[in-house]
Amino acid sequence: MSLKDDRAGRLILSLRRQGVTDARVLKAMESIDRAVFVHEKFLDQAWEDQALPIDCAQTISQPFIVGLMTQALDVQPRHRVLEIGTGSGYQCAVLSRMARFVYSVERYKSLLNEAENRLENPWDR
């Protein structure tokens, strides 16, 4: 088991204890390497259940919030989802594992470019 797997496992257990119980949401979140979506200087905190700063005075949301919001959406495989505020692209990546299409809008060009690059390249590591 790798360090990433160990950290991901602990995070998923923590999310379950906090009320994120949808197995599809947990599976989607566990399958995505959150470290790909955080700034390099915060890599050691990538699997912590906390929001982390990204560029443009924005944050990558706390995993609990991502899980809770995604669970509340009850995303089904044939759904199309519109996300407002792409940010790092993490929430979009989670949604992409559950919905047929995800459309995401970002007002900051630099965040949009970075998120597009992350989402075009495999994030499973």
Side-chain angles (χ1 to χ4, degrees):
M1 178 178 271
S2 73
L3 182 59
K4 178 253 176 193
D5 292 337
D6 186 44
R7 288 179 175 178
R10 282 198 313 265
L11 177 61
I12 296 304
L13 288 174
S14 171
L15 297 178
R16 265 195 197 138
R17 283 192 300 270
Q18 295 179 76
V20 179
T21 57
D22 186 320
R24 298 168 307 131
V25 173
L26 295 169
K27 181 179 178 184
M29 292 181 73
E30 187 174 28
S31 72
I32 296 167
D33 187 350
R34 188 169 183 251
V36 172
F37 298 89
V38 303
H39 194 280
E40 188 175 304
K41 59 186 163 185
F42 299 107
L43 285 176
D44 62 325
Q45 300 170 58
W47 288 98
E48 300 298 319
D49 189 21
Q50 62 187 27
L52 296 170
I54 59 174
D55 293 338
C56 303
Q58 303 297 303
T59 62
I60 177 174
S61 295
Q62 175 185 1
F64 170 67
I65 298 302
V66 171
L68 197 63
M69 288 189 309
T70 306
Q71 180 173 276
L73 283 174
D74 191 26
V75 178
Q76 299 300 314
R78 297 194 51 82
H79 284 173
R80 295 171 188 241
V81 178
L82 173 62
E83 174 192 38
I84 307 298
T86 309
S88 70
Y90 178 65
Q91 175 76 67
C92 187
V94 171
L95 290 167
S96 76
R97 291 292 172 99
M98 301 179 66
R100 173 170 268 178
F101 295 105
V102 179
Y103 304 92
S104 190
V105 179
E106 176 55 58
R107 68 180 175 156
Y108 295 108
K109 182 77 170 159
S110 61
L111 289 180
L112 176 64
N113 292 338
E114 289 176 22
E116 282 178 338
N117 185 48
R118 286 182 186 110
L119 294 167
E120 286 174 359
N121 297 302
W123 55 81
D124 301 308
R125 296 187 185 171

